[in-house]
Amino acid sequence: MSKNWYILHTYSGYEQKIERTIRRLLSDGELDSNILFDIKIPTQQIIEIRDGKKRSVNQKLLPNYIMLEMDLPDLGWKATCNVIRRIQGVSGFVGTKPDERPRPISSDEAKNLLQQSGDIKGDKAVRVKQSYDIGDRVSIMDGPFKTFSGVIEEINAEKNKLRVNVQIFGRATPVEVDVMQVQKA
C-alpha cells in the first residue's frame, strides 16, 4: 500500500461542499484518516485586466474535480469508496465504474497539478487573463518604453508577453513588453 492521488468527479459548483462533507466524515470517524490523508481543490491565481484595472481572481484548475490523497487497502477499499461515492454531488472516481477499484493518477500528473496550484514548492503560475488581439493599439504604462504607444504584432500567452511595434525616432521598432505593462489605447 502506498499513498496515491485520486480524482473525484463532482457536480458543477459542489466542490467546496463535498470537501467540507469529506472533512466532516473524517472528523466523525465515518472515514478512516489512515486511508484518506488529504483533499485538494486545485486553484490558480488569475489577474484580469479590465478598463486598465487589475483584479486578482482564484480560478479552479479542474472545475468539477477534487483531488484525494489516499492509501487504499487491498481489502476494504470498497467500503471507503462507497462512503465517498454516496456523498450528494459526487459522480464517482475518474476512469472507473462504481464496482471497480479507483485508479490513481501518476505522480508526475499529481506533482504538476499541485505545483500549478502552489500547494507544493515550485513556480506557482500566475496567469494573466488578457483581452488583446494582434493589431490592437496599446499604450505602454510601465518600463523603459513608458509613454510610448504602438500596435500589437505578436502575443505570447504562455509567457504573458506582447511584441508591440512602437515609433522610436521615426522608425517602427518592435519591443517586447509584459502584459501588465500595457493598456488598450
Side-chain angles (χ1 to χ4, degrees):
M1 291 193 301
S2 65
K3 290 183 187 180
N4 290 306
W5 285 97
Y6 297 83
I7 305 291
L8 187 66
H9 187 251
T10 67
Y11 295 170
S12 180
Y14 276 64
E15 298 91 350
Q16 276 82 18
K17 181 180 179 185
I18 292 169
E19 180 188 19
R20 285 191 305 270
T21 303
I22 292 172
R23 292 194 189 280
R24 184 183 49 78
L25 290 172
L26 279 168
S27 66
D28 292 349
E30 293 178 48
L31 281 173
D32 190 354
S33 60
N34 293 324
I35 295 174
L36 180 65
F37 297 99
D38 202 1
I39 308 159
K40 299 269 186 220
I41 301 172
T43 58
Q44 180 179 26
Q45 184 179 11
I46 295 187
I47 298 173
E48 287 184 333
I49 302 172
R50 285 192 194 162
D51 302 324
K53 296 179 183 173
K54 298 173 191 173
R55 198 174 71 136
S56 181
V57 189
N58 275 337
Q59 184 179 45
K60 293 178 185 113
L61 280 174
L62 301 171
N64 304 350
Y65 295 96
I66 296 175
M67 295 177 66
L68 301 175
E69 185 179 28
M70 298 191 292
D71 185 2
L72 286 179
D74 292 331
L75 300 172
W77 64 266
K78 211 169 205 175
T80 301
C81 292
N82 284 339
V83 169
I84 294 170
R85 283 188 184 110
R86 286 191 188 120
I87 297 171
Q88 182 182 359
V90 172
S91 300
F93 287 92
V94 170
T96 58
K97 296 176 184 169
D99 58 340
E100 292 178 348
R101 182 184 172 103
R103 283 182 239 140
I105 61 174
S106 73
S107 59
D108 289 339
E109 290 172 317
K111 182 180 177 185
N112 184 24
L113 285 170
L114 293 170
Q115 271 184 339
Q116 285 181 22
S117 66
D119 290 322
I120 59 175
K121 294 203 185 225
D123 295 334
K124 179 169 180 169
V126 175
R127 251 186 11 161
V128 177
K129 186 175 183 181
Q130 56 193 12
S131 57
Y132 299 113
D133 293 315
I134 293 175
D136 284 353
R137 187 145 192 76
V138 293
S139 296
I140 300 173
M141 307 304 293
D142 192 24
F145 299 102
K146 187 177 181 177
T147 70
F148 283 89
S149 61
V151 178
I152 297 175
E153 285 185 339
E154 184 182 324
I155 300 172
N156 186 341
E158 290 176 10
K159 294 183 179 179
N160 292 325
K161 299 282 185 185
L162 301 174
R163 180 169 292 141
V164 180
N165 201 3
V166 297
Q167 292 288 327
I168 301 176
F169 303 120
R171 288 187 162 192
T173 307
V175 295
E176 190 173 275
V177 294
D178 193 81
V179 174
M180 302 297 285
Q181 294 177 313
V182 300
Q183 75 176 21
K184 285 191 177 180

